[in-house]
Amino acid sequence: MREALIALQPNARAASILSALDGDVRCSICSRLARVESWNHELSTPREAKKLSELGNLRICPECSNLYQFSYSSESEDNHTRESFELERLHPGQALKKLQGESATDYKTRLPELICDLKAGTDHPDDWICSESAWKLAEYFLSTGEWPEIERLAAKDATCMRETVMAIAVAVRGGLDPNPLQGTAERALQSELCQTKGDAAFVLSWLILQGQNHDEVKRYLFSSDSCILYGCLRAIQARITMGMRCPHLDRIAALTLHEQDNVRSFAHFIVEAAAENGQSVPFLVPDLILSLHSQSPAVRSDGLRALKNTVTKENAASILAGAARLVNDPECSGALELVEACAAAGASLEALTDQFISELNPHSRGELLRLLAAAARQNPEKVGRAAKEVAGECLNEAQLVPAASHLLEFLSNAKCDLTAAIPAVQSFVQRAVSTDSYTESLIQVLLRHWTGITNFEEISRLLSHKTTTIRLSALYRIRDLLAEGLNFRPVLASLRELLKDPSQRVREMAEETVAQIKE
């Protein structure tokens, strides 16, 4: 092994070990490998990883002598083997633990020289070399508890600060006490780099959350900086997975509507975890209503879904206007259900009826017809006057028939004048070659209308429809309407004609209908 570790030979430059600093250019192998590479099939092995020399579970770069830890695992399930490969570049602290025997002794002897060269590498003009040097130094000083060195490294420049605070965040998540590093994290919070601010907020929030006074975390949780918010939420999420109850859940619920995807996704995760742990999630209705005006379709959709679960008799009216505005929005979903929930809670749809009708188009007619039906339950007369003709027109589109027939049936039962819609309804029934619940509803609409205007000639024509199921449905509906007191005596002759119908079921129903009229 010692022969293979070129970087450990006395005549080799010690700084080349794990640093990729041998010379003035970056290592052509390591610079193309992430610090941690993972893949699921041997055929997917990164090309550069194949260039590394094998040393048991270690791999060594032939160009710069960087060390890597290689791991492999497999799991069998359903006659299939799932493989997992991982390659992790090691920093000096890890290398000290992995190397053994004389190699470890030699490495430790020359470690001060390596650290000196890594410090020089933080001044290298190549960004990758500078970042790698800072990362390895930060990880090494964290492993040895050299806090003053950490302070000096972080203060050097933005790159060193980024790598240092990122390493601190990882170490804190792994169990490191963040107290000695509080000053470094607080200074990093002033960085112009989002990643640095986020990692700093993570460390500082963790420091607060591991104590008893969780109120202090509000300074980060209520920040207007999304990078700081993200870091704080990461810390809360991590602590929740360790059994902590979520603090300031009302604020985090509001952040599920944040414009930034990463903030919103972490807030969602925390809210769901808190709910699973038995905490009540206090969504703030004003925040949810405000989210309906967001530029982000995802935020608008999330707001609509959350509001649906918070609608009450007291707030339904205030929620309704924002929800109705989004009914025709093709980029978000949930507005239709929210408007229906508001109506069910008592909010009046009367003022929105004209809007629903004017916005009818091929893409939203089905949804708006459902809303008109909800409005009709509150004020059938107004909806009947405004929507009857439009509802009739919608019968020409197959996908709209269910919603249109439901609305027309409701208006008919409410005794609304549907004269303007009758030609479209009649045309639909005349074209029908079979019956379903929608066609039966429209047959009843026709029968009720014609009986009301004593147009028994049209009823007789319907009873002689060419389709057997239409004739049978008409008889069923006449019997239903007879129970309401409507008069069908003028069509007795037509009913008696059906006693000779080819269909036995039609003949039986016609006989029962005639008997019911005579009674």
PDB file of all heavy atoms in Angstrom, residues 192-213:
ATOM      1  N   GLU A 192     -22.772  38.093   1.387  1.00  0.00           N
ATOM      2  CA  GLU A 192     -23.630  38.359   0.224  1.00  0.00           C
ATOM      3  C   GLU A 192     -24.015  37.068  -0.488  1.00  0.00           C
ATOM      4  O   GLU A 192     -24.867  37.081  -1.378  1.00  0.00           O
ATOM      5  CB  GLU A 192     -22.911  39.296  -0.747  1.00  0.00           C
ATOM      6  CG  GLU A 192     -22.670  40.696  -0.184  1.00  0.00           C
ATOM      7  CD  GLU A 192     -21.999  41.609  -1.193  1.00  0.00           C
ATOM      8  OE1 GLU A 192     -21.711  41.127  -2.314  1.00  0.00           O
ATOM      9  OE2 GLU A 192     -21.779  42.786  -0.868  1.00  0.00           O
ATOM     10  N   LEU A 193     -23.392  35.957  -0.114  1.00  0.00           N
ATOM     11  CA  LEU A 193     -23.697  34.673  -0.749  1.00  0.00           C
ATOM     12  C   LEU A 193     -24.860  33.994  -0.036  1.00  0.00           C
ATOM     13  O   LEU A 193     -24.836  33.805   1.183  1.00  0.00           O
ATOM     14  CB  LEU A 193     -22.474  33.759  -0.706  1.00  0.00           C
ATOM     15  CG  LEU A 193     -21.235  34.245  -1.458  1.00  0.00           C
ATOM     16  CD1 LEU A 193     -20.085  33.261  -1.276  1.00  0.00           C
ATOM     17  CD2 LEU A 193     -21.543  34.419  -2.942  1.00  0.00           C
ATOM     18  N   CYS A 194     -25.855  33.602  -0.804  1.00  0.00           N
ATOM     19  CA  CYS A 194     -27.056  32.994  -0.226  1.00  0.00           C
ATOM     20  C   CYS A 194     -26.726  31.702   0.523  1.00  0.00           C
ATOM     21  O   CYS A 194     -27.224  31.464   1.623  1.00  0.00           O
ATOM     22  CB  CYS A 194     -28.077  32.725  -1.327  1.00  0.00           C
ATOM     23  SG  CYS A 194     -29.653  32.077  -0.726  1.00  0.00           S
ATOM     24  N   GLN A 195     -25.883  30.867  -0.067  1.00  0.00           N
ATOM     25  CA  GLN A 195     -25.549  29.595   0.580  1.00  0.00           C
ATOM     26  C   GLN A 195     -24.882  29.829   1.927  1.00  0.00           C
ATOM     27  O   GLN A 195     -25.180  29.144   2.916  1.00  0.00           O
ATOM     28  CB  GLN A 195     -24.626  28.773  -0.314  1.00  0.00           C
ATOM     29  CG  GLN A 195     -24.233  27.434   0.312  1.00  0.00           C
ATOM     30  CD  GLN A 195     -23.306  26.628  -0.578  1.00  0.00           C
ATOM     31  OE1 GLN A 195     -23.178  26.901  -1.757  1.00  0.00           O
ATOM     32  NE2 GLN A 195     -22.644  25.633  -0.008  1.00  0.00           N
ATOM     33  N   THR A 196     -23.995  30.814   1.981  1.00  0.00           N
ATOM     34  CA  THR A 196     -23.292  31.104   3.237  1.00  0.00           C
ATOM     35  C   THR A 196     -24.265  31.596   4.298  1.00  0.00           C
ATOM     36  O   THR A 196     -24.231  31.153   5.454  1.00  0.00           O
ATOM     37  CB  THR A 196     -22.186  32.147   2.997  1.00  0.00           C
ATOM     38  OG1 THR A 196     -21.276  31.658   2.013  1.00  0.00           O
ATOM     39  CG2 THR A 196     -21.432  32.449   4.284  1.00  0.00           C
ATOM     40  N   LYS A 197     -25.159  32.500   3.919  1.00  0.00           N
ATOM     41  CA  LYS A 197     -26.162  32.999   4.871  1.00  0.00           C
ATOM     42  C   LYS A 197     -27.073  31.878   5.348  1.00  0.00           C
ATOM     43  O   LYS A 197     -27.418  31.802   6.525  1.00  0.00           O
ATOM     44  CB  LYS A 197     -26.999  34.113   4.217  1.00  0.00           C
ATOM     45  CG  LYS A 197     -26.281  35.424   4.079  1.00  0.00           C
ATOM     46  CD  LYS A 197     -27.216  36.535   3.655  1.00  0.00           C
ATOM     47  CE  LYS A 197     -27.672  36.372   2.229  1.00  0.00           C
ATOM     48  NZ  LYS A 197     -28.464  37.535   1.764  1.00  0.00           N
ATOM     49  N   GLY A 198     -27.455  31.006   4.425  1.00  0.00           N
ATOM     50  CA  GLY A 198     -28.330  29.906   4.802  1.00  0.00           C
ATOM     51  C   GLY A 198     -27.669  28.949   5.783  1.00  0.00           C
ATOM     52  O   GLY A 198     -28.282  28.533   6.778  1.00  0.00           O
ATOM     53  N   ASP A 199     -26.400  28.604   5.519  1.00  0.00           N
ATOM     54  CA  ASP A 199     -25.686  27.712   6.442  1.00  0.00           C
ATOM     55  C   ASP A 199     -25.480  28.377   7.800  1.00  0.00           C
ATOM     56  O   ASP A 199     -25.566  27.722   8.848  1.00  0.00           O
ATOM     57  CB  ASP A 199     -24.345  27.305   5.841  1.00  0.00           C
ATOM     58  CG  ASP A 199     -24.487  26.309   4.697  1.00  0.00           C
ATOM     59  OD1 ASP A 199     -25.480  25.557   4.699  1.00  0.00           O
ATOM     60  OD2 ASP A 199     -23.620  26.284   3.804  1.00  0.00           O
ATOM     61  N   ALA A 200     -25.196  29.683   7.794  1.00  0.00           N
ATOM     62  CA  ALA A 200     -25.023  30.411   9.052  1.00  0.00           C
ATOM     63  C   ALA A 200     -26.323  30.433   9.851  1.00  0.00           C
ATOM     64  O   ALA A 200     -26.320  30.217  11.076  1.00  0.00           O
ATOM     65  CB  ALA A 200     -24.542  31.828   8.777  1.00  0.00           C
ATOM     66  N   ALA A 201     -27.434  30.681   9.149  1.00  0.00           N
ATOM     67  CA  ALA A 201     -28.736  30.687   9.829  1.00  0.00           C
ATOM     68  C   ALA A 201     -29.065  29.312  10.391  1.00  0.00           C
ATOM     69  O   ALA A 201     -29.661  29.192  11.464  1.00  0.00           O
ATOM     70  CB  ALA A 201     -29.830  31.134   8.856  1.00  0.00           C
ATOM     71  N   PHE A 202     -28.659  28.269   9.680  1.00  0.00           N
ATOM     72  CA  PHE A 202     -28.861  26.907  10.166  1.00  0.00           C
ATOM     73  C   PHE A 202     -28.125  26.704  11.491  1.00  0.00           C
ATOM     74  O   PHE A 202     -28.691  26.205  12.471  1.00  0.00           O
ATOM     75  CB  PHE A 202     -28.363  25.901   9.129  1.00  0.00           C
ATOM     76  CG  PHE A 202     -28.359  24.474   9.602  1.00  0.00           C
ATOM     77  CD1 PHE A 202     -29.480  23.687   9.463  1.00  0.00           C
ATOM     78  CD2 PHE A 202     -27.230  23.925  10.206  1.00  0.00           C
ATOM     79  CE1 PHE A 202     -29.487  22.366   9.904  1.00  0.00           C
ATOM     80  CE2 PHE A 202     -27.222  22.616  10.660  1.00  0.00           C
ATOM     81  CZ  PHE A 202     -28.359  21.830  10.503  1.00  0.00           C
ATOM     82  N   VAL A 203     -26.858  27.093  11.530  1.00  0.00           N
ATOM     83  CA  VAL A 203     -26.037  26.900  12.734  1.00  0.00           C
ATOM     84  C   VAL A 203     -26.593  27.703  13.907  1.00  0.00           C
ATOM     85  O   VAL A 203     -26.733  27.189  15.024  1.00  0.00           O
ATOM     86  CB  VAL A 203     -24.575  27.291  12.447  1.00  0.00           C
ATOM     87  CG1 VAL A 203     -23.758  27.260  13.738  1.00  0.00           C
ATOM     88  CG2 VAL A 203     -23.963  26.363  11.397  1.00  0.00           C
ATOM     89  N   LEU A 204     -26.924  28.971  13.653  1.00  0.00           N
ATOM     90  CA  LEU A 204     -27.416  29.836  14.733  1.00  0.00           C
ATOM     91  C   LEU A 204     -28.795  29.389  15.221  1.00  0.00           C
ATOM     92  O   LEU A 204     -29.074  29.438  16.424  1.00  0.00           O
ATOM     93  CB  LEU A 204     -27.462  31.283  14.246  1.00  0.00           C
ATOM     94  CG  LEU A 204     -26.081  31.905  13.963  1.00  0.00           C
ATOM     95  CD1 LEU A 204     -26.223  33.227  13.223  1.00  0.00           C
ATOM     96  CD2 LEU A 204     -25.293  32.084  15.247  1.00  0.00           C
ATOM     97  N   SER A 205     -29.642  28.957  14.295  1.00  0.00           N
ATOM     98  CA  SER A 205     -30.969  28.460  14.695  1.00  0.00           C
ATOM     99  C   SER A 205     -30.830  27.167  15.505  1.00  0.00           C
ATOM    100  O   SER A 205     -31.520  26.964  16.506  1.00  0.00           O
ATOM    101  CB  SER A 205     -31.837  28.206  13.458  1.00  0.00           C
ATOM    102  OG  SER A 205     -32.054  29.398  12.734  1.00  0.00           O
ATOM    103  N   TRP A 206     -29.924  26.310  15.077  1.00  0.00           N
ATOM    104  CA  TRP A 206     -29.677  25.068  15.812  1.00  0.00           C
ATOM    105  C   TRP A 206     -29.216  25.377  17.231  1.00  0.00           C
ATOM    106  O   TRP A 206     -29.644  24.735  18.193  1.00  0.00           O
ATOM    107  CB  TRP A 206     -28.621  24.249  15.083  1.00  0.00           C
ATOM    108  CG  TRP A 206     -28.381  22.889  15.656  1.00  0.00           C
ATOM    109  CD1 TRP A 206     -27.702  22.584  16.808  1.00  0.00           C
ATOM    110  CD2 TRP A 206     -28.815  21.638  15.116  1.00  0.00           C
ATOM    111  NE1 TRP A 206     -27.685  21.233  17.021  1.00  0.00           N
ATOM    112  CE2 TRP A 206     -28.356  20.614  15.986  1.00  0.00           C
ATOM    113  CE3 TRP A 206     -29.531  21.277  13.979  1.00  0.00           C
ATOM    114  CZ2 TRP A 206     -28.592  19.272  15.749  1.00  0.00           C
ATOM    115  CZ3 TRP A 206     -29.761  19.933  13.737  1.00  0.00           C
ATOM    116  CH2 TRP A 206     -29.308  18.948  14.613  1.00  0.00           C
ATOM    117  N   LEU A 207     -28.343  26.361  17.342  1.00  0.00           N
ATOM    118  CA  LEU A 207     -27.824  26.750  18.649  1.00  0.00           C
ATOM    119  C   LEU A 207     -28.957  27.180  19.576  1.00  0.00           C
ATOM    120  O   LEU A 207     -28.991  26.820  20.759  1.00  0.00           O
ATOM    121  CB  LEU A 207     -26.820  27.893  18.474  1.00  0.00           C
ATOM    122  CG  LEU A 207     -26.115  28.414  19.726  1.00  0.00           C
ATOM    123  CD1 LEU A 207     -25.283  27.313  20.368  1.00  0.00           C
ATOM    124  CD2 LEU A 207     -25.232  29.605  19.371  1.00  0.00           C
ATOM    125  N   ILE A 208     -29.916  27.925  19.027  1.00  0.00           N
ATOM    126  CA  ILE A 208     -31.062  28.375  19.825  1.00  0.00           C
ATOM    127  C   ILE A 208     -31.977  27.203  20.166  1.00  0.00           C
ATOM    128  O   ILE A 208     -32.422  27.049  21.302  1.00  0.00           O
ATOM    129  CB  ILE A 208     -31.849  29.463  19.057  1.00  0.00           C
ATOM    130  CG1 ILE A 208     -31.006  30.726  18.911  1.00  0.00           C
ATOM    131  CG2 ILE A 208     -33.172  29.779  19.761  1.00  0.00           C
ATOM    132  CD1 ILE A 208     -31.601  31.753  17.962  1.00  0.00           C
ATOM    133  N   LEU A 209     -32.238  26.365  19.181  1.00  0.00           N
ATOM    134  CA  LEU A 209     -33.203  25.277  19.360  1.00  0.00           C
ATOM    135  C   LEU A 209     -32.718  24.191  20.317  1.00  0.00           C
ATOM    136  O   LEU A 209     -33.526  23.455  20.883  1.00  0.00           O
ATOM    137  CB  LEU A 209     -33.550  24.661  17.998  1.00  0.00           C
ATOM    138  CG  LEU A 209     -34.291  25.580  17.025  1.00  0.00           C
ATOM    139  CD1 LEU A 209     -34.351  24.955  15.640  1.00  0.00           C
ATOM    140  CD2 LEU A 209     -35.691  25.888  17.527  1.00  0.00           C
ATOM    141  N   GLN A 210     -31.404  24.082  20.481  1.00  0.00           N
ATOM    142  CA  GLN A 210     -30.916  23.075  21.421  1.00  0.00           C
ATOM    143  C   GLN A 210     -31.029  23.562  22.863  1.00  0.00           C
ATOM    144  O   GLN A 210     -30.840  22.798  23.807  1.00  0.00           O
ATOM    145  CB  GLN A 210     -29.472  22.698  21.100  1.00  0.00           C
ATOM    146  CG  GLN A 210     -28.434  23.736  21.457  1.00  0.00           C
ATOM    147  CD  GLN A 210     -27.025  23.245  21.161  1.00  0.00           C
ATOM    148  OE1 GLN A 210     -26.831  22.176  20.588  1.00  0.00           O
ATOM    149  NE2 GLN A 210     -26.033  24.023  21.562  1.00  0.00           N
ATOM    150  N   GLY A 211     -31.379  24.859  23.039  1.00  0.00           N
ATOM    151  CA  GLY A 211     -31.636  25.400  24.367  1.00  0.00           C
ATOM    152  C   GLY A 211     -33.116  25.339  24.694  1.00  0.00           C
ATOM    153  O   GLY A 211     -33.903  24.654  24.044  1.00  0.00           O
ATOM    154  N   GLN A 212     -33.514  26.100  25.681  1.00  0.00           N
ATOM    155  CA  GLN A 212     -34.896  26.067  26.149  1.00  0.00           C
ATOM    156  C   GLN A 212     -35.729  27.221  25.607  1.00  0.00           C
ATOM    157  O   GLN A 212     -36.935  27.119  25.482  1.00  0.00           O
ATOM    158  CB  GLN A 212     -34.923  26.092  27.692  1.00  0.00           C
ATOM    159  CG  GLN A 212     -34.239  24.897  28.330  1.00  0.00           C
ATOM    160  CD  GLN A 212     -34.891  23.584  27.950  1.00  0.00           C
ATOM    161  OE1 GLN A 212     -36.124  23.469  27.905  1.00  0.00           O
ATOM    162  NE2 GLN A 212     -34.075  22.569  27.658  1.00  0.00           N
ATOM    163  N   ASN A 213     -35.098  28.347  25.308  1.00  0.00           N
ATOM    164  CA  ASN A 213     -35.830  29.537  24.880  1.00  0.00           C
ATOM    165  C   ASN A 213     -35.907  29.586  23.353  1.00  0.00           C
ATOM    166  O   ASN A 213     -35.082  30.225  22.686  1.00  0.00           O
ATOM    167  CB  ASN A 213     -35.166  30.798  25.424  1.00  0.00           C
ATOM    168  CG  ASN A 213     -35.999  32.045  25.130  1.00  0.00           C
ATOM    169  OD1 ASN A 213     -37.139  31.949  24.690  1.00  0.00           O
ATOM    170  ND2 ASN A 213     -35.423  33.201  25.384  1.00  0.00           N
TER     171      ASN A 213
END
